[in-house]
Amino acid sequence: MAHYTLELFSPSYTVYLLYFTQVKNAKQIKENLEKFDCAFINPRLVVSVQQILFACNRALFEKFNNASKTQSLYSDVIYYMSPSSNISEAMNHYGLQESTEEVIVASFNPETLETVKTAIDGVVSNILQIAQKAQAKKMQEVFKLKDCELWIDRNLVNSVLSVLSIKDIEEND
Amino acid sequence: MDLTLISQGAEGKIYTCTFLGKKSIKKERISRSYRQKSLDTKLRERRLIQESRNLVKIRKEGVPVPGLYFVDTITCSLYMEFITPSISLKNFFIQNPSIPQSLLSDFANQIGKSVALMHNVQCIHGDLTTSNMLLKPQVSLATEILNDFSPADYLVNPCMVYFIDFGLSYGSSTPEDMAVDLHVLEKAISSAHPQLEKIFIEILAAYKIHKRKADSVLTKLEQVRMRGRKRLAFG
Ligand SMILES: Nc1ncnc2c1ncn2[C@@H]1O[C@H](COP(=O)(O)OP(=O)(O)O)[C@@H](O)[C@H]1O
Ligand SMILES: [Mg+2]
């Protein structure tokens, strides 16, 4: 289980991540989603762990400002993974699909991940592998990244985080 | 958070910090006490949003700018990519008395093209000076080498010119605003680096290649220059 610090908050928060491959019972997990205190993230459109940390950070930030977008902290995490401000589109891209064989599980509670480990029929894998598995072409399409911006960096991380950072940013009244 | 103050300007403080596990920059807009409180908050917030949107907008056009990591609307702070190693174009010019012409032309081309790309999407930078441009070596070097990169090292490694500080940026489609943007740069170069004044001609040449309808901007620039001279003569 990998863990990462969200430095923005004091005291800081810790995010725990597990990456499962060869998952055989996604349908069953999806039917029992509300039993788990965590986010199940589809890794196909995740460029790096930073993108997940961004979403966790943003979801917490909005929660503390009483500005959560959805019903739960963890569906907000899914929502802020996506460039779309359409909740169901975000869920489609980043939420758990019945047919999926790979999933990233994110939680602020390490015990939840222990429970998830016993519930998921799959292989725990190294989270750092997700970067190689991301579908670059599809990412580019979903984040509307033109070819001319790709020469700036060697990977998509900065561009993806930039797009996500300004999502739903509006002046308060 | 492990904040280290690296620069303090009139409008904000710049820190390095670790954010989402990465060495990053935090840019915090400080409040100006002479302004009425609610107005001040409003202004800071508006500028913050303006700066973040324009940063992302022109990255999409292919202008090298720091990646944006988070917009904190509560403390009026931006978290962004730490461009490192880097040196401001201003310090690079000051610390390297003799710079090969080919290198100057390379930088001029990059600058002219980037400003054109911004203007093509109606983004006016608002503060085009050599301190708001950073040189970053493009080569991938071992960390030990990157940690003590000296001003002279930038002479021999190909660099990308990054644009920073969109705090005064705004949207406009008038040739006048674009001409003024260029004129600010022209004056910044001639006052900070009088010996390099000629570089602006090359910047304009590159601008002309990449800017749509460049002619109307360049005509305006001529007028803006004249106004400046008149003001000097009769000021
Ligand atoms: N993303 C960055 N990477 C590296 N250095 C930076 C970055 N942003 C700012 N700086 C440093 O901080 C200085 C001030 O930042 P700037 O955004 O220009 O704010 P100011 O409004 O104070 O001029 C810059 O000249 C540069 O040296
Ligand atoms: Mg500046």
Side-chain angles (χ1 to χ4, degrees):
Chain A
M1 181 163 57
H3 61 94
Y4 298 88
T5 305
L6 299 183
E7 307 88 346
L8 186 71
F9 310 98
S10 61
S12 66
Y13 265 72
T14 305
V15 179
Y16 299 86
L17 300 177
L18 271 180
Y19 173 41
F20 292 92
T21 56
Q22 300 171 48
V23 175
K24 305 217 165 52
N25 61 340
K27 184 164 187 286
Q28 189 192 343
I29 299 286
K30 194 173 163 77
E31 282 160 5
N32 294 288
L33 269 190
E34 67 285 352
K35 292 196 185 138
F36 302 101
D37 193 24
C38 61
F40 292 95
I41 303 166
N42 178 354
R44 276 183 324 144
L45 298 176
V46 180
V47 273
S48 83
V49 168
Q50 266 205 307
Q51 187 184 349
I52 305 169
L53 301 184
F54 170 88
C56 292
N57 183 74
R58 181 78 189 269
L60 268 185
F61 178 81
E62 300 298 346
K63 182 184 164 73
F64 291 143
N65 295 317
N66 298 315
S68 291
K69 198 79 187 179
T70 64
Q71 297 302 313
S72 81
L73 176 62
Y74 291 112
S75 44
D76 261 33
V77 169
I78 304 282
Y79 177 73
Y80 287 114
M81 293 291 297
S82 163
S84 171
S85 293
N86 178 311
I87 296 176
S88 61
E89 190 175 12
M91 297 301 153
N92 271 336
H93 280 143
Y94 284 99
L96 186 68
Q97 308 298 334
E98 282 185 4
S99 60
T100 197
E101 290 179 356
E102 301 206 354
V103 66
I104 300 164
V105 185
S107 179
F108 298 110
N109 180 352
E111 280 152 31
T112 304
L113 289 196
E114 294 306 327
T115 320
V116 171
K117 234 190 224 171
T118 58
I120 291 191
D121 178 5
V123 179
V124 174
S125 305
N126 183 348
I127 187 80
L128 299 177
Q129 287 171 4
I130 59 172
Q132 296 123 46
K133 297 208 178 168
Q135 302 176 337
K137 270 276 160 286
K138 181 82 179 156
M139 285 295 293
Q140 219 185 311
E141 190 185 305
V142 169
F143 280 80
K144 301 192 175 75
L145 307 176
K146 293 187 273 177
D147 287 336
C148 67
E149 117 168 55
L150 302 183
W151 76 288
I152 303 173
D153 292 296
R154 247 159 295 171
N155 57 49
L156 298 178
V157 181
N158 281 323
S159 294
V160 162
L161 293 181
S162 295
V163 169
L164 292 178
S165 289
I166 57 165
K167 163 166 161 171
D168 293 354
I169 291 292
E170 264 137 36
E171 283 179 50
N172 297 313
D173 291 311
Chain B
M1 192 177 258
D2 58 338
L3 295 173
T4 310
L5 186 70
I6 60 162
S7 155
Q8 165 136 32
E11 298 276 331
K13 292 183 178 172
I14 309 282
Y15 306 89
T16 55
C17 63
T18 307
F19 185 69
L20 306 184
K22 248 198 191 175
K23 195 83 189 283
S24 309
I25 289 278
K26 176 183 184 185
K27 180 170 182 177
E28 183 181 11
R29 274 175 192 288
I30 48 181
S31 70
R32 309 290 300 269
S33 49
Y34 63 81
R35 285 189 206 128
Q36 185 207 342
K37 185 119 183 73
S38 62
L39 176 71
D40 180 69
T41 312
K42 198 94 210 119
L43 268 176
R44 280 157 66 211
E45 196 184 358
R46 182 162 306 162
R47 291 261 178 78
L48 177 83
I49 293 174
Q50 195 104 312
E51 177 163 13
S52 5
R53 286 200 183 132
N54 284 331
L55 207 53
V56 180
K57 183 174 180 181
I58 71 157
R59 165 176 274 268
K60 287 200 164 294
E61 299 309 308
V63 178
V65 292
L68 186 60
Y69 293 160
F70 182 58
V71 182
D72 183 338
T73 45
I74 301 297
T75 63
C76 274
S77 305
L78 295 181
Y79 293 83
M80 66 182 124
E81 178 190 0
F82 180 28
I83 307 298
T84 183
S86 71
I87 187 172
S88 73
L89 198 58
K90 180 170 186 170
N91 286 338
F92 172 78
F93 284 157
I94 291 171
Q95 293 180 34
N96 291 299
S98 129
I99 301 164
Q101 180 55 44
S102 58
L103 202 58
L104 287 175
S105 301
D106 173 22
F107 295 159
N109 278 320
Q110 293 190 50
I111 296 167
K113 178 177 179 184
S114 287
V115 177
L117 294 179
M118 288 178 216
H119 288 182
N120 277 340
V121 290
Q122 283 87 47
C123 174
I124 310 298
H125 183 283
D127 194 13
L128 286 175
T129 63
T130 47
S131 18
N132 288 335
M133 297 171 198
L134 303 180
L135 297 179
K136 183 191 177 200
Q138 265 180 299
V139 280
S140 39
L141 298 165
T143 352
E144 316 84 72
I145 304 177
L146 288 179
N147 284 339
D148 46 31
F149 221 66
S150 77
D153 290 328
Y154 292 87
L155 287 168
V156 291
N157 289 286
C159 285
M160 218 147 128
V161 182
Y162 273 74
F163 284 72
I164 58 164
D165 201 356
F166 287 76
L168 295 174
S169 67
Y170 63 100
S172 165
S173 55
T174 70
E176 165 93 25
D177 288 333
M178 296 175 190
V180 170
D181 215 20
L182 288 171
H183 190 55
V184 167
L185 177 58
E186 180 171 33
K187 282 191 303 186
I189 293 173
S190 61
S191 65
H193 322 286
Q195 77 288 6
L196 297 175
E197 227 172 7
K198 284 207 199 81
I199 193 182
F200 190 71
I201 298 168
E202 284 188 80
I203 292 176
L204 277 191
Y207 180 85
K208 208 175 158 176
I209 294 172
H210 297 279
K211 173 74 178 72
R212 286 190 294 268
K213 300 192 184 143
D215 286 343
S216 56
V217 180
L218 298 181
T219 311
K220 268 281 174 232
L221 177 61
E222 206 37 62
Q223 293 170 14
V224 173
R225 280 170 173 156
M226 290 216 294
R227 272 197 318 241
R229 272 185 229 119
K230 268 194 205 132
R231 220 175 284 136
L232 273 185
F234 305 108

